[in-house]
Amino acid sequence: MTYKISKSLFFLSMIWALLSCSTVVNQYVTDNQSTLTTLAETITETSLQAQMELFPELPRHVLDARSSHVAVEENIRQQMEAYGYDVSTQNVTWNYNSSSYSMNNIIVKKTGSNPSNRPIIISAHWDTVQNSPGIVDNASGCVAMLEVARLLQGQTTVEDIYFVFYAFEEVYYEENNSRIFLGSQTYLNELKSQNSNPKLVINMDMIAYTTDKEPEPNAISWAIDWPTVGNHIFVFGLKSYTETSIKMASLAKNWIPNLKFHSMNVSLEQVQSKDIFSSLQRSDHYTYWKENINTIFITNSDLRFPHYHETTDTKDKVDYTFLKRVTQWIFYVSYLESNNNLI
């Protein structure tokens, strides 16, 4: 992929950094941090490895003769039902070469005690490209979601929480120079038909790979001062919701100090440009960004992952300690946001 570096975007990003450092925002607060910490500590390398067993090292793509997508859908369903949830599916159709193919969005709802039709949505795509087992991309996001669902099932939350496993993220199409992701677009269309206005969407895509190696510099690392060693998680949001990113960063620093991360907020105009930020169109969060919905994209980034869309995206590439920290973070944020725990 080739990028053209824009000086204007470079200076805008520097201005953004200065402004975000001086912004005063509400912070998460809770009187049961010790209880939440005890719960979060049940997310372990072992529990994550057990969840990963639901995902064979086989592609999850409808055109792949070895595809395990039918079996994996049933695995996810059974696991969520074992936690006490009702599981529904939403058919998604992909038209390709004069034929139609189907996969399901897998949807699990945790009902809040006093919902305001502003749900929290935790999401990840569960399909793969052909010929790739897709363990980091994106069984890792699905595994984190399963663990968060396990912990939240026994907790009271004010707002509804939806856990959504998207189909067909890997077979997007282009329309008006913008990407359309079939699974998340189908789900969002249903939300809009119900007049549901999500409070927060967290989309996870590739969240389990680390390396201590420093890759070759790329256009983004030249333009923006962010880490080049791949031992951290990226957190992207829209500039119109910078406060959410700052709250999440503060929580991570205070509650999970060993989690290395880098956060950045961008405008939709930047993402829809043909400049360096256009690569941020490349997952289901973009479906929500186009509607100006508060959405956080969490990723270790394909720029840092040499096995991206390859047959070598296998379970031995997963850093389970890193994945544990990211999953604990998502659990904390999901719980606190759904209970409006701010000060």
Side-chain angles (χ1 to χ4, degrees), residues 318-330:
V318 174
D319 182 336
Y320 283 101
T321 299
F322 182 76
L323 179 57
K324 175 188 70 175
R325 293 167 182 162
V326 175
T327 306
Q328 289 172 337
W329 190 21
I330 302 306

Side-chain angles (χ1 to χ4, degrees), residues 3 5 19 56 60 72 99 134 172 210 259 266 325 330 338:
Y3 297 100
I5 301 176
L19 289 174
R60 300 180 297 280
V72 169
S99 297
Y172 65 87
T210 62
L259 176 63
V266 295
R325 293 167 182 162
I330 302 306
S338 64

Side-chain angles (χ1 to χ4, degrees), residues 181-199:
F181 295 94
L182 293 174
S184 52
Q185 188 64 60
T186 299
Y187 180 69
L188 178 57
N189 290 345
E190 180 177 315
L191 286 181
K192 291 166 70 174
S193 72
Q194 299 170 350
N195 295 317
S196 181
N197 180 26
K199 177 184 179 184

Side-chain angles (χ1 to χ4, degrees), residues 65-85:
R66 301 178 301 135
S67 182
S68 64
H69 68 279
V70 174
V72 169
E73 178 180 336
E74 185 60 24
N75 290 346
I76 293 171
R77 174 191 293 276
Q78 290 183 6
Q79 191 78 310
M80 284 297 201
E81 289 178 344
Y83 297 148
Y85 291 105

